[in-house]
Amino acid sequence: MQRSDTERPRPPWYFPEYAPVGVDLGSGAAVAAYDRNQGTDPGADDALLDRLGVAEGTRLVDLACGTGSLVVQAARRGADAHGVDVSEEMLAFARARAERYGVAPHWHHAGFLDHVHRGPLADVVTTASALHQLPDFWKQRALLNAAAMLRPGGTFYLWDVIFSFEPSAADGHLRRWIDTAGRPEGEGFTRADFETHVRDEFSTYAWIIEGMLHRAGFDIVSRSFPRPTHAAYHCRRR
Ligand SMILES: C[S@@+](CC[C@H](N)C(=O)[O-])C[C@H]1O[C@@H](n2cnc3c(N)ncnc32)[C@H](O)[C@@H]1O
């Protein structure tokens, strides 16, 4: 596994991105449960890779890759695929998945903030269900770092819990999300997981994210809000 430049000295005010935030994913068992609960679907990963134009030779970096399905599917179609995550447990699970499929993407034990992309600039950078792990000031830095990895004209894809409802209507939307998304223990993410997300993690509004994307150097090509609590952005590096 390649390590990024994580040994760089940081000022005392720097965000501790290796410290877990929110739902505990700090063990092999928790990671396996996470992979089951989120319903990893290589078919859905392939559909996304098709939409993003990822093909043989595409250089793709997935930030906060988790259990690595997107990276593995990209490697299976011949992309130069890189998975980046702060969790050694996630990366171990991802590496085992890659071995099962007989591919060898590059794994980096590194974070949104400190990953240094080496070699030619990436064609595509993705991140799913993870930017909310950073408070807004640090999200902006993460987006600047993502932009620095990409060639001009390259694609940035973001999927996350992002709020498109009116701030004055937040309570009702959050209540409906938590009431409907939670599953019984052992059958998926629970009500408590979603409560933890809202309370302890850093999901924010679409209009804030869009300002950050713009300031990081991205043009938004398309956006979708499949639910008032979730958003996808397909962006182009200026
Ligand atoms: C909810 S999982 C999402 C994983 C994967 N992207 C997916 O869609 O399944 C969040 C991931 O973000 C990782 N993570 C949290 N903070 C991070 C950071 N600052 N830099 C990189 N990865 C981070 C966690 O280790 C975890 O693997």
Side-chain angles (χ1 to χ4, degrees):
M1 182 170 19
Q2 296 175 25
R3 245 194 113 83
S4 89
D5 194 4
T6 51
E7 311 304 325
R8 262 185 304 176
R10 294 293 189 196
W13 47 263
Y14 213 79
F15 186 75
E17 64 175 335
Y18 289 73
V21 171
V23 177
D24 178 17
L25 296 172
S27 68
V31 168
Y34 168 80
D35 194 62
R36 274 195 311 278
N37 288 341
Q38 68 147 359
T40 294
D41 176 0
D45 292 322
D46 277 333
L48 175 62
L49 294 169
D50 287 345
R51 286 205 303 282
L52 300 179
V54 175
E56 187 168 1
T58 302
R59 183 167 291 105
L60 172 139
V61 180
D62 187 31
L63 296 170
C65 64
T67 54
S69 180
L70 186 76
V71 177
V72 168
Q73 291 309 108
R76 290 180 72 195
R77 58 177 69 193
D80 176 14
H82 297 251
V84 176
D85 205 284
V86 292
S87 160
E88 306 229 37
E89 290 83 6
M90 285 287 186
L91 290 170
F93 195 100
R95 203 177 317 102
R97 185 193 300 282
E99 278 165 17
R100 275 202 308 283
Y101 282 104
V103 290
H106 307 277
W107 302 112
H108 306 265
H109 182 218
F112 278 119
L113 302 174
D114 73 356
H115 180 58
V116 178
H117 178 73
R118 300 189 192 286
L121 291 173
D123 303 298
V124 177
V125 174
T126 54
T127 186
S129 306
L131 192 65
H132 66 262
Q133 299 269 323
L134 299 174
D136 283 0
F137 174 79
W138 299 99
K139 285 189 187 78
Q140 181 71 75
R141 291 175 79 113
L143 292 173
L144 283 163
N145 197 26
M149 296 171 202
L150 262 176
R151 64 169 169 78
T155 295
F156 179 64
Y157 174 81
L158 166 66
W159 161 259
D160 207 352
V161 176
I162 293 171
F163 304 139
S164 56
F165 47 70
E166 280 301 312
S168 57
D171 288 9
H173 282 287
L174 292 175
R175 200 176 318 111
R176 267 192 295 286
W177 177 41
I178 291 169
D179 284 349
T180 52
R183 298 279 168 266
E185 191 75 49
E187 293 179 23
F189 293 119
T190 63
R191 179 184 186 85
D193 289 331
F194 294 107
E195 288 168 344
T196 301
H197 182 105
V198 175
R199 187 183 56 242
D200 299 341
E201 304 183 27
F202 304 102
S203 278
T204 192
Y205 288 107
W207 46 273
I208 295 176
I209 291 287
E210 291 182 15
M212 290 184 180
L213 288 168
H214 179 75
R215 283 168 179 78
F218 295 117
D219 289 329
I220 297 172
V221 176
S222 67
R223 52 169 78 67
S224 71
F225 303 116
R227 297 188 280 286
T229 46
H230 289 71
Y233 288 97
H234 185 157
C235 306
R236 183 171 300 118
R237 171 87 168 96
R238 282 196 289 275

